[in-house]
């Protein structure tokens, strides 16, 4: 899957196993599960690959191209490679699955 533009899809839903199976790349790539504690920040950065993040629990303020969106359980974030972004976990922390899509 090649992502052309960053976007957020609200309310996708799903439990851990179905999210992992759905995000596991068909070609080369992998998924990881990450947990950020309350208010943990990831400063502005980019990635060399396309990525998809799916929020499982909690919330995260996700900033892409200067626009910040509160993402909650069930929301999915699509990031093309080299997209400038940052994030800050919500007050209860955030657990999410990241799909790294290799070319």
């Amino acid at each position: 899957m090649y992502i052309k533009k960053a976007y957020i899809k609200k309310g996708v839903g799903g439990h851990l196993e179905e999210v992992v199976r759905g995000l596991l790349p068909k070609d080369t790539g992998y998924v990881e599960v990450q947990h950020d504690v309350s208010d943990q920040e990831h400063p502005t950065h980019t990635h060399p690959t396309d990525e998809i993040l799916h929020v499982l629990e909690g919330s995260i303020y996700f900033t892409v191209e200067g626009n910040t969106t509160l993402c909650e359980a069930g929301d999915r974030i699509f990031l093309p490679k080299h997209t400038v972004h940052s994030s800050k976990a919500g007050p209860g922390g955030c657990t999410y699955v990241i799909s790294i899509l290799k070319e």
Side-chain angles (χ1 to χ4, degrees), residues 22-102:
L23 291 181
L24 192 62
K26 308 262 184 281
D27 296 320
T28 303
Y30 58 94
V31 297
E32 65 183 41
V33 179
Q34 182 164 324
H35 176 74
D36 293 348
V37 296
S38 179
D39 299 319
Q40 181 175 340
E41 294 187 49
H42 294 276
T44 302
H45 63 285
T46 65
H47 299 282
T49 59
D50 289 347
E51 293 190 2
I52 302 171
L53 288 79
H54 183 100
V55 180
L56 292 171
E57 297 175 349
S59 62
I60 190 167
Y61 294 93
F62 211 85
T63 303
V64 177
E65 300 171 353
N67 297 313
T68 301
T69 302
L70 175 62
C71 296
E72 300 173 293
D75 293 349
R76 197 169 280 186
I77 304 158
F78 295 83
L79 292 174
K81 61 184 173 182
H82 308 302
T83 299
V84 177
H85 64 282
S86 62
S87 65
K88 180 178 179 182
C94 187
T95 302
Y96 50 97
V97 175
I98 304 172
S99 177
I100 289 75
L101 308 171
K102 302 281 187 169

